[in-house]
Amino acid sequence: MIYLPPLRRFLLPALVLLALVVFYRSSLRVPTSIPSFVLHQPPPPPKGIHIPIADLGTNVLPIQNTSENHLPPPKEYFYSYTEETNTKSSNSSVKTSTWAQPILNPNLAILFKCPTRPNRYTNHVRLPNSMYNISDTAPNSLRTDTRVFWNPTIISLPYWSQNQYLVVSRIVTDGNHQTNVLCEANICYVGDGIDARIGEKACTPDDLDHVGPAGGMRCVSTPVTLSVPPTPAERCEGKFGTYVDIPGFHDPRIFWSGKGEPLMMVNTQSRYACFGLWLIDLRSLYPPLHNLLSSNPDRPSLGPLKSYPTLTELTRNPADTRSAIEKNWMFFYPASGESYIHYDLSNPHGGPRGRTFAKVLGNGLTTTNLTDRLELPCLRGVDPDDPDAAKKNGTWHQATNSLRLVLCSRSDTTCKPDADNTVFFAIVHRKHPNFLKLPLRYERYFIVWSAVPPFSMLGISQHPVLMANETASGWSAAQNWHGDQVRHKRVTNSSVAQPGEEAYWAYFTYTVSIAYAWGRKGDDVTDKNVGYLDDEVILGIGIDDAGQGFATVKAGDLLQCLRACPGRGAEKAVVEVATAVQVG
């Protein structure tokens, strides 16, 4: 008979052997000449970090490690959709894309209508909605905050929050450092409140002293400085040489992810070039936000998991497509729960180059460009022969985050979101310089693209869009207000126009962010990026690099009089864009 000893006799030797393996892997420095007894070598350290972390100060550098030259996964992993997604049967055997020719898509017809005539001189369309001021001086403050706040980026807080909005503002500095602050804020109104929105309160005399006679938005507590530790720059050469030593981040953008995460994208020193874009969950910087998201009265939870708990640099793939200075990227989130980065719209010098976007794989890594190769460019360059000098030399720039929109009204009970009636939209700027090549104005345009792969470009505003109390730099007051009934209505309607309000009208503006407005009861945080035509959108607007404001407009009013993109085609545009109906 064969005798097998009890297994416990081998327990002690096994534990000793395990301890030796752990000690070998964690403590010993093995010469490179001795091969490891694992199946693969450890990855090399990430390139670009030339500054020891110990030399960066007392703060630990919270950055995620990403590879400079990573390999993308196979193409079949880029989308989680089948090839049949977003197609309709034209007969029993042929499938045709509903987005191939946007002008022929009946779901988009409402976007191509023009209810308002453009200005004869400036070519802009003026909306009846006004801009209002934002004050960072909280009520009951011992003294007025004399710092200059500008370029606000705004998101609405969940409906169960005591306050309505979260605002991140830049502070004007001497240029040797960057400072950004955050506060929770509410809107107050002036007058009888007939047009007041849910949750808004009447302005107190103290409110009016800070936001102006027309009412506005005001921080409810003293703004807190957002502390993001410094990041090292790999290479800043030539005119960018001084940028490497400027501490602090700039151009913040806050927005909700498709999973309900409150995120902030910032521009700061890059580990791959000079300046890049980084992402972090706002809950890591502002703990009260974590408490708020974990207190949903209708859906008890701990809040969404953090995809970006620490500062994570975003990348382009392949590496040779990266620029020394990266900026103005935007995320978009399809219903599938995935995330994408939209990098470019067109050549920054004005010519149509098409667009580039990629899927985020995690840890800041992305696929290569996923733009449909047959998509024809939608943006148009400026007309060099235009006799009006104020319209020459413009360049296109991405400006805000994106939102998902269902092309029907929330009040329409028969409307159900699907692949055919859902799109993304965002704001882009056309930047016009003066004779000194300094910015003269930023014209506000809206772009729309499909919410399903291949995320085709569908349309762009035919005319730049202005608010009621906003003027276009480069033209006289008479030209700005030629034939404009909006100003006449405001001046003659005492319930809308307030004494001295004209002193607060803006003439040089830059739109920083868009978000669906506060107060949609029942919305989960995963729905913060999704809205309908009758939902209001709040725009965060910088004023003359020395002020901040906002405007609230229904999504359907923002997305009017669009020009249809040409769609797909192997050659030059084969689709003749229909003339939009002009209604006087």
Side-chain angles (χ1 to χ4, degrees), residues 94-114:
V94 179
K95 296 279 188 179
T96 58
S97 171
T98 61
W99 307 118
Q101 297 181 359
I103 194 63
L104 303 180
N105 189 328
N107 296 289
L108 303 178
I110 190 172
L111 304 180
F112 303 140
K113 295 181 179 180
C114 299

Side-chain angles (χ1 to χ4, degrees), residues 46-49 61-68 70 231-234 265-280 308 310-316 322-324 326 329 331 341 343 360 362-366:
K47 299 179 180 180
I49 303 181
L61 187 67
I63 58 177
Q64 296 281 12
N65 292 323
T66 55
S67 170
E68 185 177 47
H70 66 278
T231 56
E234 163 67 12
M265 184 164 54
V266 302
N267 200 229
T268 187
Q269 285 86 348
S270 168
R271 293 176 300 155
Y272 305 117
C274 185
F275 264 71
L277 289 156
W278 302 68
L279 203 62
I280 189 170
Y308 302 92
T310 60
L311 203 60
T312 304
E313 184 164 12
L314 307 171
T315 66
R316 284 183 190 257
R322 299 170 186 157
S323 302
E326 296 285 15
W329 295 354
F331 273 76
I341 300 177
Y343 298 114
V360 179
N363 203 26
L365 303 179
T366 62

